[in-house]
Amino acid sequence: AEVSAVVFVPGGPLLASGGWDGVVRLWDTTTGEVLRTLSDGHGQIRHLAVTSDGATLATANQDGTLTLWDVASGDRIASLEGHGATALGVAFSPDGETLASSSKDRTVRLWHVASGRPLRVLEGHTSNVWGVAFSPDGGSLATGSVDGTARLWDLATGEDTVVGTHGGPIYRLEFAPDGTRLATPSADGTAVLWSLVGGEAVTLRGHRGDVYGVRIAPSG
């Protein structure tokens, strides 16, 4: 089945992968062996995220739920319900206390990780929301959508601004380590580095098809 997400687990040799078979596999990267499989019957897994301490893993599921897993034991911690359609993205805040999720229902939702309770619904996108990423300081959230916009949400107020617009869907996005730029890949064949401090945007051209992902090196 299609593999839709992979993420390294901080603090060890583990790699987590998830796919359309609805199963998360935890791999030992030194041996290539599967150490553990996680599945709770919520359909295809569209995205994964792990807390910075490597303790908790979240999945975005086809049926709209989000599942929290204990990495060490493989136990399911909680299933978070609220989205009205397939969940497409998940991200943990830098402190691991908040989970953000995106969905085909056009909303982004914030959750308190320890209790599983919903905190806020962010509305503004006009189509499926894919990309979701916390700023390095945890004070804002960036989202990317099939509507072609990248939005930046102030988590203290819930207000949003449009950082930039693509000529096609935005699937994933990422902040630079210092939080001054936001990178967005798009189905228009480009990736853009948007300045969040008043500078010029830089457009990266060269791909001949949809661009689905982007990463910025730790050095920036």
Side-chain angles (χ1 to χ4, degrees):
E2 181 174 332
V3 179
S4 51
V6 293
V7 63
F8 282 103
V9 178
L14 294 182
L15 175 77
S17 65
W20 286 27
D21 59 2
V23 178
V24 174
R25 289 173 172 81
L26 293 174
W27 305 80
D28 184 328
T29 58
T30 60
T31 65
E33 295 180 355
V34 176
L35 299 180
R36 189 175 294 117
T37 59
L38 314 175
S39 179
D40 62 353
H42 285 292
Q44 299 169 356
I45 293 169
R46 295 303 187 93
H47 203 219
L48 300 172
V50 180
T51 50
S52 59
D53 63 3
T56 306
L57 182 144
T59 62
N61 306 319
Q62 181 185 18
D63 65 0
T65 63
L66 315 160
T67 307
L68 298 178
W69 301 90
D70 182 285
V71 173
S73 67
D75 293 336
R76 183 178 64 180
I77 299 171
S79 290
L80 311 180
E81 299 181 358
H83 283 297
T86 298
L88 297 172
V90 279
F92 284 104
S93 60
D95 62 11
E97 295 182 2
T98 305
L99 180 73
S101 60
S102 58
S103 170
K104 285 186 176 182
D105 67 8
R106 305 181 180 184
T107 71
V108 176
R109 294 173 184 262
L110 299 176
W111 311 81
H112 184 245
V113 173
S115 66
R117 65 184 176 87
L119 297 174
R120 178 178 286 168
V121 179
L122 304 177
E123 297 179 289
H125 284 293
T126 59
S127 189
N128 303 351
V129 188
W130 282 77
V132 59
F134 281 92
S135 62
D137 66 4
S140 58
L141 186 77
T143 57
S145 169
V146 173
D147 66 17
T149 66
R151 294 175 181 263
L152 190 66
W153 306 80
D154 184 324
L155 296 183
T157 65
E159 296 179 355
D160 71 300
T161 56
V162 176
V163 175
T165 302
H166 276 276
I170 299 171
Y171 296 114
R172 300 296 175 201
L173 30 69
E174 179 168 329
F175 281 93
D178 63 3
T180 63
R181 292 185 295 175
L182 181 71
T184 58
S186 172
D188 65 8
T190 70
V192 175
L193 285 167
W194 306 96
S195 174
L196 304 179
V197 292
E200 293 293 322
V202 177
T203 300
L204 310 177
R205 304 182 187 277
H207 289 290
R208 297 181 178 180
D210 296 7
V211 186
Y212 288 97
V214 63
R215 298 306 304 266
I216 298 177
S219 65

